[in-house]
Amino acid sequence: MNDQPASRGRRLARMALALAVLVVLIVAAWTWLTLSWAYSEGERAGVLQKFSRKGWICKTYEGELAQYVVGGVAPLIWYFSVRDQGVAEQLFKAVGQNLQLHYTEHRGIPGSCFGDTPYFAESFVIIPAATR
């Protein structure tokens, strides 16, 4: 009779471990899905007014694009993140310039270790001053 409580305890421990592993697998699958599947993609144009690497534990690249609709009106600030270090290095050099940014939107990403926004810049083109 002393074996029943011990085997019940082991069975509960195995079930708890199996449940914990299942939760970790579901979170990992959800994270992979949200990072690999884009909800939308598009282009934004404006002046890159700020670009930085920030975060306490998870360092991410974050930027601000000022979109001017009409001269004399306050710009709309669009916030974005960058996952590609090569693109980030190029954006650091482009601060203050007018550019066209290609991005993808990834909704439902758990946490902020991948970026502070759901918008991820993938590439950009600097717009020459003569075409503005």
Side-chain angles (χ1 to χ4, degrees), residues 51 53 59 61 82-93 121-122 124:
F51 193 71
R53 185 170 182 249
K59 297 288 189 183
Y61 295 103
V82 177
R83 289 178 23 202
D84 185 338
Q85 188 168 353
V87 172
E89 289 172 1
Q90 293 173 353
L91 282 170
F92 274 118
K93 298 173 186 173
E122 296 185 340
F124 70 95

